[in-house]
Amino acid sequence: MTESRLAALHDATLLTLADTCLLWGHRLSEWCGHGPSLEEDIALTNTALDVLGQARALLQLAAAHRGDGATEDTLAYFREPDEFANVMMAALPNGDYAHTIARSFLLSAWFVPVWESLSRSADRSLAAVASDAVKESRMQLRHATDWVIRFGDGTDESRGRINAAYGSLWPYCDEMLAANIDGTDQVARNASWQTTIKATFAAATLTLPTSPAYDTNLLNATARESRARLLGEMQSLARQHPGAAW
């Protein structure tokens, strides 16, 4: 593989991870002041800060890798929606608390093996980011796992809510699992994800969702619309005052 091809793969990996963290972190931040309890409000806010911190670190690496005057801010605020490379699930609207927990569980279970692999990357800067991120992702996974079990093994209503959440999110898992993350073994990381999912669903006495036939074009259109709306809000101030110093 040529050096330019390797560089392109590395850049794509940085943006896939950075954009996923950025948009997921923004969705989590929308719960600030709206959590079901004070403790959970703080927990979600801390998770949002961790994920946004990962996004910043990765966008800084991506900007330096590009070497064209890009910065973390230009990449976050001045790219168009279709230029973002996030995992589709990250940009979907929050829904209820069960939906947010379900997404956090699916994403953090995916991120843990990704960060574990990248912590051994030959790129020392990326390895340093991943080494810190994997610790945070493990904490996020423990938090989400506890809540999945509480929802699944709780009341009829809580069980119905978590099942509904997974019913809406499950079709987006295929795209997440197929993401091309340079420096990771896709088969191994997906096997780790599946093991985590199965163990938690068993503990929660939940049945694993099936993979029904779905319209890929409709999923993509829904995810693109969600991302455009999210970025329209997130980027509005920076675009109204480009170059402003705060």
Side-chain angles (χ1 to χ4, degrees):
M1 187 176 291
T2 65
E3 185 175 342
S4 61
R5 174 62 175 157
L6 286 171
L9 278 174
H10 189 62
D11 189 56
T13 287
L14 290 175
L15 288 179
T16 295
L17 297 174
D19 292 347
T20 298
C21 289
L22 181 64
L23 300 187
W24 179 30
H26 187 86
R27 286 303 188 198
L28 286 168
S29 75
E30 293 175 343
W31 277 98
C32 185
H34 300 282
S37 68
L38 180 59
E39 182 179 8
E40 285 309 301
D41 201 285
I42 294 171
L44 285 183
T45 301
N46 285 335
T47 299
L49 289 172
D50 286 342
V51 175
L52 290 172
Q54 293 161 17
R56 287 196 62 199
L58 292 164
L59 287 173
Q60 289 167 11
L61 292 182
H65 192 257
R66 289 189 167 196
D68 59 358
T71 67
E72 61 174 294
D73 286 340
T74 62
L75 291 177
Y77 294 118
F78 295 98
R79 280 183 294 155
E80 297 302 317
D82 286 343
E83 296 180 84
F84 278 71
N86 59 287
V87 166
M88 290 193 295
M89 189 186 299
L92 298 175
N94 281 325
D96 63 9
Y97 193 66
H99 186 279
T100 291
I101 287 297
R103 171 168 49 190
S104 290
F105 175 66
L106 294 173
L107 283 173
S108 57
W110 179 77
F111 265 117
V112 167
V114 168
W115 294 134
E116 286 175 344
S117 293
L118 293 179
S119 68
R120 300 184 291 273
S121 172
D123 182 333
R124 293 185 179 181
S125 297
L126 177 56
V129 172
S131 294
D132 288 336
V134 71
K135 300 170 189 175
E136 295 167 344
S137 289
R138 286 172 181 152
M139 292 178 60
Q140 294 155 12
L141 180 58
R142 284 197 296 271
H143 176 262
T145 297
D146 288 345
W147 268 100
V148 170
I149 293 171
R150 289 171 71 178
F151 272 110
D153 204 25
T155 65
D156 289 342
E157 181 178 356
S158 70
R159 190 179 185 86
R161 284 177 180 266
I162 199 69
N163 277 327
Y166 280 117
S168 67
L169 291 169
W170 202 254
Y172 291 94
C173 290
D174 287 345
E175 184 259 355
M176 177 181 69
L177 297 176
N180 186 10
I181 308 298
D182 186 35
T184 69
D185 182 329
Q186 184 181 35
V187 173
R189 76 171 195 250
N190 288 352
S192 175
W193 181 85
Q194 290 167 353
T195 297
T196 299
I197 300 303
K198 290 178 181 179
T200 301
F201 270 64
T205 63
L206 292 171
T207 301
L208 280 170
T210 57
S211 295
Y214 52 82
D215 186 337
T216 302
N217 291 330
L218 179 59
L219 291 182
N220 290 337
T222 300
R224 285 196 300 269
E225 181 181 359
S226 297
R227 178 173 62 194
R229 289 179 180 273
L230 186 157
L231 290 173
E233 175 184 311
M234 192 189 82
Q235 296 176 333
S236 60
L237 186 60
R239 291 188 175 216
Q240 288 171 22
H241 306 281
W246 303 95

